[in-house]
PDB file of all heavy atoms in Angstrom:
ATOM      1  N   ALA A  16      15.288 -66.701 164.585  1.00  0.00           N
ATOM      2  CA  ALA A  16      16.009 -66.337 165.793  1.00  0.00           C
ATOM      3  C   ALA A  16      15.616 -64.908 166.290  1.00  0.00           C
ATOM      4  O   ALA A  16      15.455 -64.689 167.493  1.00  0.00           O
ATOM      5  CB  ALA A  16      17.484 -66.343 165.653  1.00  0.00           C
ATOM      6  N   ALA A  17      15.471 -64.000 165.326  1.00  0.00           N
ATOM      7  CA  ALA A  17      15.026 -62.584 165.750  1.00  0.00           C
ATOM      8  C   ALA A  17      13.608 -62.659 166.140  1.00  0.00           C
ATOM      9  O   ALA A  17      13.271 -61.923 167.149  1.00  0.00           O
ATOM     10  CB  ALA A  17      15.147 -61.696 164.436  1.00  0.00           C
ATOM     11  N   VAL A  18      12.760 -63.367 165.539  1.00  0.00           N
ATOM     12  CA  VAL A  18      11.329 -63.477 165.920  1.00  0.00           C
ATOM     13  C   VAL A  18      11.235 -64.012 167.356  1.00  0.00           C
ATOM     14  O   VAL A  18      10.614 -63.460 168.223  1.00  0.00           O
ATOM     15  CB  VAL A  18      10.511 -64.299 165.023  1.00  0.00           C
ATOM     16  CG1 VAL A  18       9.154 -64.556 165.495  1.00  0.00           C
ATOM     17  CG2 VAL A  18      10.417 -63.572 163.534  1.00  0.00           C
ATOM     18  N   ASP A  19      11.956 -65.069 167.608  1.00  0.00           N
ATOM     19  CA  ASP A  19      12.082 -65.733 168.878  1.00  0.00           C
ATOM     20  C   ASP A  19      12.423 -64.737 170.036  1.00  0.00           C
ATOM     21  O   ASP A  19      11.791 -64.634 171.052  1.00  0.00           O
ATOM     22  CB  ASP A  19      12.900 -66.977 168.931  1.00  0.00           C
ATOM     23  CG  ASP A  19      12.885 -67.670 170.202  1.00  0.00           C
ATOM     24  OD1 ASP A  19      11.843 -68.057 170.727  1.00  0.00           O
ATOM     25  OD2 ASP A  19      14.037 -67.830 170.825  1.00  0.00           O
ATOM     26  N   PHE A  20      13.579 -64.082 169.715  1.00  0.00           N
ATOM     27  CA  PHE A  20      14.030 -63.064 170.666  1.00  0.00           C
ATOM     28  C   PHE A  20      13.009 -61.938 170.968  1.00  0.00           C
ATOM     29  O   PHE A  20      12.706 -61.642 172.030  1.00  0.00           O
ATOM     30  CB  PHE A  20      15.349 -62.419 170.237  1.00  0.00           C
ATOM     31  CG  PHE A  20      15.754 -61.392 171.112  1.00  0.00           C
ATOM     32  CD1 PHE A  20      16.353 -61.659 172.415  1.00  0.00           C
ATOM     33  CD2 PHE A  20      15.623 -60.050 170.872  1.00  0.00           C
ATOM     34  CE1 PHE A  20      16.788 -60.646 173.283  1.00  0.00           C
ATOM     35  CE2 PHE A  20      16.016 -58.952 171.652  1.00  0.00           C
ATOM     36  CZ  PHE A  20      16.558 -59.330 172.908  1.00  0.00           C
ATOM     37  N   ALA A  21      12.371 -61.319 169.882  1.00  0.00           N
ATOM     38  CA  ALA A  21      11.422 -60.402 169.983  1.00  0.00           C
ATOM     39  C   ALA A  21      10.204 -60.791 170.805  1.00  0.00           C
ATOM     40  O   ALA A  21       9.659 -60.096 171.618  1.00  0.00           O
ATOM     41  CB  ALA A  21      11.070 -59.899 168.591  1.00  0.00           C
ATOM     42  N   GLU A  22       9.693 -62.005 170.547  1.00  0.00           N
ATOM     43  CA  GLU A  22       8.594 -62.569 171.212  1.00  0.00           C
ATOM     44  C   GLU A  22       8.932 -62.666 172.732  1.00  0.00           C
ATOM     45  O   GLU A  22       8.128 -62.272 173.596  1.00  0.00           O
ATOM     46  CB  GLU A  22       8.244 -63.989 170.743  1.00  0.00           C
ATOM     47  CG  GLU A  22       7.563 -63.951 169.419  1.00  0.00           C
ATOM     48  CD  GLU A  22       7.255 -65.389 168.830  1.00  0.00           C
ATOM     49  OE1 GLU A  22       7.589 -66.386 169.482  1.00  0.00           O
ATOM     50  OE2 GLU A  22       6.605 -65.452 167.795  1.00  0.00           O
ATOM     51  N   HIS A  23      10.049 -63.249 173.049  1.00  0.00           N
ATOM     52  CA  HIS A  23      10.459 -63.210 174.515  1.00  0.00           C
ATOM     53  C   HIS A  23      10.614 -61.847 175.158  1.00  0.00           C
ATOM     54  O   HIS A  23      10.102 -61.682 176.220  1.00  0.00           O
ATOM     55  CB  HIS A  23      11.853 -64.003 174.704  1.00  0.00           C
ATOM     56  CG  HIS A  23      11.675 -65.471 174.690  1.00  0.00           C
ATOM     57  ND1 HIS A  23      11.787 -66.227 173.560  1.00  0.00           N
ATOM     58  CD2 HIS A  23      11.471 -66.327 175.622  1.00  0.00           C
ATOM     59  CE1 HIS A  23      11.629 -67.400 173.795  1.00  0.00           C
ATOM     60  NE2 HIS A  23      11.421 -67.516 175.112  1.00  0.00           N
ATOM     61  N   LEU A  24      11.180 -60.881 174.402  1.00  0.00           N
ATOM     62  CA  LEU A  24      11.284 -59.570 174.932  1.00  0.00           C
ATOM     63  C   LEU A  24       9.961 -58.960 175.159  1.00  0.00           C
ATOM     64  O   LEU A  24       9.722 -58.270 176.114  1.00  0.00           O
ATOM     65  CB  LEU A  24      12.172 -58.761 173.954  1.00  0.00           C
ATOM     66  CG  LEU A  24      12.380 -57.255 174.437  1.00  0.00           C
ATOM     67  CD1 LEU A  24      13.065 -57.244 175.757  1.00  0.00           C
ATOM     68  CD2 LEU A  24      13.179 -56.491 173.379  1.00  0.00           C
ATOM     69  N   TRP A  25       9.021 -59.108 174.218  1.00  0.00           N
ATOM     70  CA  TRP A  25       7.680 -58.582 174.338  1.00  0.00           C
ATOM     71  C   TRP A  25       7.022 -59.052 175.538  1.00  0.00           C
ATOM     72  O   TRP A  25       6.439 -58.293 176.315  1.00  0.00           O
ATOM     73  CB  TRP A  25       6.844 -58.864 173.038  1.00  0.00           C
ATOM     74  CG  TRP A  25       5.448 -58.416 173.167  1.00  0.00           C
ATOM     75  CD1 TRP A  25       4.337 -59.239 173.519  1.00  0.00           C
ATOM     76  CD2 TRP A  25       4.938 -57.082 173.039  1.00  0.00           C
ATOM     77  NE1 TRP A  25       3.251 -58.474 173.463  1.00  0.00           N
ATOM     78  CE2 TRP A  25       3.567 -57.127 173.231  1.00  0.00           C
ATOM     79  CE3 TRP A  25       5.591 -55.873 172.791  1.00  0.00           C
ATOM     80  CZ2 TRP A  25       2.805 -55.931 173.228  1.00  0.00           C
ATOM     81  CZ3 TRP A  25       4.794 -54.688 172.700  1.00  0.00           C
ATOM     82  CH2 TRP A  25       3.381 -54.755 172.933  1.00  0.00           C
ATOM     83  N   HIS A  26       7.054 -60.338 175.676  1.00  0.00           N
ATOM     84  CA  HIS A  26       6.342 -60.987 176.911  1.00  0.00           C
ATOM     85  C   HIS A  26       6.995 -60.534 178.215  1.00  0.00           C
ATOM     86  O   HIS A  26       6.344 -60.276 179.199  1.00  0.00           O
ATOM     87  CB  HIS A  26       6.266 -62.436 176.786  1.00  0.00           C
ATOM     88  CG  HIS A  26       5.355 -62.926 175.559  1.00  0.00           C
ATOM     89  ND1 HIS A  26       3.955 -62.619 175.580  1.00  0.00           N
ATOM     90  CD2 HIS A  26       5.620 -63.566 174.471  1.00  0.00           C
ATOM     91  CE1 HIS A  26       3.482 -63.080 174.500  1.00  0.00           C
ATOM     92  NE2 HIS A  26       4.438 -63.658 173.763  1.00  0.00           N
ATOM     93  N   ALA A  27       8.331 -60.430 178.176  1.00  0.00           N
ATOM     94  CA  ALA A  27       9.031 -59.996 179.498  1.00  0.00           C
ATOM     95  C   ALA A  27       8.621 -58.539 179.771  1.00  0.00           C
ATOM     96  O   ALA A  27       8.468 -58.227 180.951  1.00  0.00           O
ATOM     97  CB  ALA A  27      10.624 -60.155 179.155  1.00  0.00           C
ATOM     98  N   THR A  28       8.542 -57.714 178.766  1.00  0.00           N
ATOM     99  CA  THR A  28       8.215 -56.313 179.106  1.00  0.00           C
ATOM    100  C   THR A  28       6.805 -56.154 179.506  1.00  0.00           C
ATOM    101  O   THR A  28       6.512 -55.277 180.395  1.00  0.00           O
ATOM    102  CB  THR A  28       8.466 -55.422 177.834  1.00  0.00           C
ATOM    103  OG1 THR A  28       7.650 -55.773 176.752  1.00  0.00           O
ATOM    104  CG2 THR A  28       9.929 -55.310 177.506  1.00  0.00           C
ATOM    105  N   GLN A  29       5.915 -57.022 179.079  1.00  0.00           N
ATOM    106  CA  GLN A  29       4.516 -56.964 179.450  1.00  0.00           C
ATOM    107  C   GLN A  29       4.425 -57.358 180.944  1.00  0.00           C
ATOM    108  O   GLN A  29       3.675 -56.772 181.724  1.00  0.00           O
ATOM    109  CB  GLN A  29       3.671 -57.812 178.613  1.00  0.00           C
ATOM    110  CG  GLN A  29       3.618 -57.384 177.116  1.00  0.00           C
ATOM    111  CD  GLN A  29       3.243 -55.926 176.882  1.00  0.00           C
ATOM    112  OE1 GLN A  29       2.254 -55.437 177.295  1.00  0.00           O
ATOM    113  NE2 GLN A  29       4.240 -55.190 176.298  1.00  0.00           N
ATOM    114  N   GLU A  30       5.187 -58.450 181.268  1.00  0.00           N
ATOM    115  CA  GLU A  30       5.120 -58.929 182.665  1.00  0.00           C
ATOM    116  C   GLU A  30       5.785 -57.947 183.631  1.00  0.00           C
ATOM    117  O   GLU A  30       5.276 -57.708 184.746  1.00  0.00           O
ATOM    118  CB  GLU A  30       5.826 -60.269 182.714  1.00  0.00           C
ATOM    119  CG  GLU A  30       5.069 -61.396 182.184  1.00  0.00           C
ATOM    120  CD  GLU A  30       5.759 -62.781 182.309  1.00  0.00           C
ATOM    121  OE1 GLU A  30       6.489 -62.940 183.208  1.00  0.00           O
ATOM    122  OE2 GLU A  30       5.509 -63.606 181.409  1.00  0.00           O
ATOM    123  N   TRP A  31       6.803 -57.309 183.119  1.00  0.00           N
ATOM    124  CA  TRP A  31       7.556 -56.305 184.012  1.00  0.00           C
ATOM    125  C   TRP A  31       6.605 -55.092 184.243  1.00  0.00           C
ATOM    126  O   TRP A  31       6.512 -54.583 185.325  1.00  0.00           O
ATOM    127  CB  TRP A  31       8.853 -55.833 183.279  1.00  0.00           C
ATOM    128  CG  TRP A  31       9.692 -55.099 184.192  1.00  0.00           C
ATOM    129  CD1 TRP A  31       9.420 -54.319 185.307  1.00  0.00           C
ATOM    130  CD2 TRP A  31      11.180 -54.969 184.038  1.00  0.00           C
ATOM    131  NE1 TRP A  31      10.531 -53.722 185.853  1.00  0.00           N
ATOM    132  CE2 TRP A  31      11.595 -54.205 185.060  1.00  0.00           C
ATOM    133  CE3 TRP A  31      12.038 -55.533 183.173  1.00  0.00           C
ATOM    134  CZ2 TRP A  31      12.970 -53.796 185.294  1.00  0.00           C
ATOM    135  CZ3 TRP A  31      13.334 -55.256 183.403  1.00  0.00           C
ATOM    136  CH2 TRP A  31      13.888 -54.356 184.369  1.00  0.00           C
ATOM    137  N   ASP A  32       5.848 -54.721 183.168  1.00  0.00           N
ATOM    138  CA  ASP A  32       4.987 -53.625 183.370  1.00  0.00           C
ATOM    139  C   ASP A  32       3.887 -53.929 184.279  1.00  0.00           C
ATOM    140  O   ASP A  32       3.444 -53.142 185.122  1.00  0.00           O
ATOM    141  CB  ASP A  32       4.412 -53.162 181.990  1.00  0.00           C
ATOM    142  CG  ASP A  32       3.659 -51.917 182.015  1.00  0.00           C
ATOM    143  OD1 ASP A  32       4.252 -50.908 182.485  1.00  0.00           O
ATOM    144  OD2 ASP A  32       2.451 -51.843 181.581  1.00  0.00           O
ATOM    145  N   ASP A  33       3.352 -55.175 184.241  1.00  0.00           N
ATOM    146  CA  ASP A  33       2.345 -55.600 185.205  1.00  0.00           C
ATOM    147  C   ASP A  33       2.894 -55.567 186.583  1.00  0.00           C
ATOM    148  O   ASP A  33       2.183 -55.167 187.509  1.00  0.00           O
ATOM    149  CB  ASP A  33       1.884 -57.011 184.908  1.00  0.00           C
ATOM    150  CG  ASP A  33       1.080 -57.118 183.626  1.00  0.00           C
ATOM    151  OD1 ASP A  33       0.566 -56.080 183.180  1.00  0.00           O
ATOM    152  OD2 ASP A  33       0.823 -58.261 183.184  1.00  0.00           O
ATOM    153  N   LEU A  34       4.068 -55.989 186.702  1.00  0.00           N
ATOM    154  CA  LEU A  34       4.774 -55.979 188.115  1.00  0.00           C
ATOM    155  C   LEU A  34       4.864 -54.458 188.591  1.00  0.00           C
ATOM    156  O   LEU A  34       4.539 -54.244 189.751  1.00  0.00           O
ATOM    157  CB  LEU A  34       6.168 -56.590 187.997  1.00  0.00           C
ATOM    158  CG  LEU A  34       6.910 -56.806 189.314  1.00  0.00           C
ATOM    159  CD1 LEU A  34       6.108 -57.683 190.244  1.00  0.00           C
ATOM    160  CD2 LEU A  34       8.253 -57.426 189.077  1.00  0.00           C
ATOM    161  N   GLU A  35       5.207 -53.587 187.746  1.00  0.00           N
ATOM    162  CA  GLU A  35       5.312 -52.200 188.137  1.00  0.00           C
ATOM    163  C   GLU A  35       4.049 -51.618 188.483  1.00  0.00           C
ATOM    164  O   GLU A  35       3.788 -50.915 189.431  1.00  0.00           O
ATOM    165  CB  GLU A  35       5.972 -51.409 187.023  1.00  0.00           C
ATOM    166  CG  GLU A  35       6.029 -49.923 187.191  1.00  0.00           C
ATOM    167  CD  GLU A  35       7.055 -49.532 188.239  1.00  0.00           C
ATOM    168  OE1 GLU A  35       7.995 -50.306 188.586  1.00  0.00           O
ATOM    169  OE2 GLU A  35       6.983 -48.447 188.800  1.00  0.00           O
ATOM    170  N   ASP A  36       3.010 -51.875 187.601  1.00  0.00           N
ATOM    171  CA  ASP A  36       1.676 -51.217 187.733  1.00  0.00           C
ATOM    172  C   ASP A  36       0.762 -51.910 188.775  1.00  0.00           C
ATOM    173  O   ASP A  36       0.057 -51.205 189.503  1.00  0.00           O
ATOM    174  CB  ASP A  36       0.918 -51.304 186.360  1.00  0.00           C
ATOM    175  CG  ASP A  36       1.580 -50.281 185.397  1.00  0.00           C
ATOM    176  OD1 ASP A  36       2.392 -49.512 185.757  1.00  0.00           O
ATOM    177  OD2 ASP A  36       1.210 -50.463 184.180  1.00  0.00           O
ATOM    178  N   GLU A  37       0.858 -53.226 188.905  1.00  0.00           N
ATOM    179  CA  GLU A  37      -0.072 -53.988 189.669  1.00  0.00           C
ATOM    180  C   GLU A  37       0.676 -54.737 190.804  1.00  0.00           C
ATOM    181  O   GLU A  37      -0.086 -55.400 191.710  1.00  0.00           O
ATOM    182  CB  GLU A  37      -0.830 -54.965 188.826  1.00  0.00           C
ATOM    183  CG  GLU A  37      -1.627 -54.356 187.709  1.00  0.00           C
ATOM    184  CD  GLU A  37      -2.028 -55.284 186.608  1.00  0.00           C
ATOM    185  OE1 GLU A  37      -2.059 -56.535 186.938  1.00  0.00           O
ATOM    186  OE2 GLU A  37      -2.369 -54.796 185.519  1.00  0.00           O
ATOM    187  N   GLY A  38       1.902 -54.713 190.886  1.00  0.00           N
ATOM    188  CA  GLY A  38       2.655 -55.423 192.026  1.00  0.00           C
ATOM    189  C   GLY A  38       2.631 -56.934 191.798  1.00  0.00           C
ATOM    190  O   GLY A  38       2.930 -57.574 192.764  1.00  0.00           O
ATOM    191  N   LYS A  39       2.325 -57.460 190.661  1.00  0.00           N
ATOM    192  CA  LYS A  39       2.305 -58.865 190.414  1.00  0.00           C
ATOM    193  C   LYS A  39       2.599 -59.140 188.990  1.00  0.00           C
ATOM    194  O   LYS A  39       2.414 -58.278 188.066  1.00  0.00           O
ATOM    195  CB  LYS A  39       1.002 -59.464 190.762  1.00  0.00           C
ATOM    196  CG  LYS A  39      -0.146 -58.965 189.917  1.00  0.00           C
ATOM    197  CD  LYS A  39      -1.462 -59.538 190.416  1.00  0.00           C
ATOM    198  CE  LYS A  39      -2.550 -58.893 189.508  1.00  0.00           C
ATOM    199  NZ  LYS A  39      -3.850 -59.330 189.806  1.00  0.00           N
ATOM    200  N   CYS A  40       3.141 -60.334 188.735  1.00  0.00           N
ATOM    201  CA  CYS A  40       3.375 -60.863 187.348  1.00  0.00           C
ATOM    202  C   CYS A  40       3.245 -62.342 187.456  1.00  0.00           C
ATOM    203  O   CYS A  40       3.268 -62.912 188.567  1.00  0.00           O
ATOM    204  CB  CYS A  40       4.720 -60.419 186.784  1.00  0.00           C
ATOM    205  SG  CYS A  40       6.211 -61.267 187.282  1.00  0.00           S
ATOM    206  N   ALA A  41       3.057 -63.025 186.391  1.00  0.00           N
ATOM    207  CA  ALA A  41       2.762 -64.483 186.363  1.00  0.00           C
ATOM    208  C   ALA A  41       3.918 -65.205 187.009  1.00  0.00           C
ATOM    209  O   ALA A  41       3.682 -66.165 187.887  1.00  0.00           O
ATOM    210  CB  ALA A  41       2.630 -64.999 184.924  1.00  0.00           C
ATOM    211  N   ASN A  42       5.138 -64.914 186.724  1.00  0.00           N
ATOM    212  CA  ASN A  42       6.291 -65.692 187.338  1.00  0.00           C
ATOM    213  C   ASN A  42       7.475 -64.725 187.393  1.00  0.00           C
ATOM    214  O   ASN A  42       8.277 -64.642 186.511  1.00  0.00           O
ATOM    215  CB  ASN A  42       6.552 -66.973 186.602  1.00  0.00           C
ATOM    216  CG  ASN A  42       7.644 -67.813 187.218  1.00  0.00           C
ATOM    217  OD1 ASN A  42       8.422 -67.341 188.148  1.00  0.00           O
ATOM    218  ND2 ASN A  42       7.727 -68.989 186.815  1.00  0.00           N
ATOM    219  N   HIS A  43       7.625 -64.063 188.480  1.00  0.00           N
ATOM    220  CA  HIS A  43       8.673 -63.027 188.547  1.00  0.00           C
ATOM    221  C   HIS A  43      10.067 -63.699 188.493  1.00  0.00           C
ATOM    222  O   HIS A  43      10.969 -63.083 188.074  1.00  0.00           O
ATOM    223  CB  HIS A  43       8.520 -62.077 189.780  1.00  0.00           C
ATOM    224  CG  HIS A  43       8.694 -62.790 191.086  1.00  0.00           C
ATOM    225  ND1 HIS A  43       7.740 -63.508 191.706  1.00  0.00           N
ATOM    226  CD2 HIS A  43       9.737 -62.899 191.871  1.00  0.00           C
ATOM    227  CE1 HIS A  43       8.150 -64.018 192.745  1.00  0.00           C
ATOM    228  NE2 HIS A  43       9.418 -63.632 192.979  1.00  0.00           N
TER     229      HIS A  43
END
Side-chain angles (χ1 to χ4, degrees):
V18 170
D19 181 61
F20 175 75
E22 286 176 359
H23 278 93
L24 180 61
W25 175 259
H26 293 297
T28 59
Q29 299 309 299
E30 288 183 28
W31 193 333
D32 193 53
D33 290 345
L34 186 59
E35 176 72 19
D36 292 344
E37 301 163 19
K39 61 181 178 181
C40 77
N42 185 341
H43 67 277

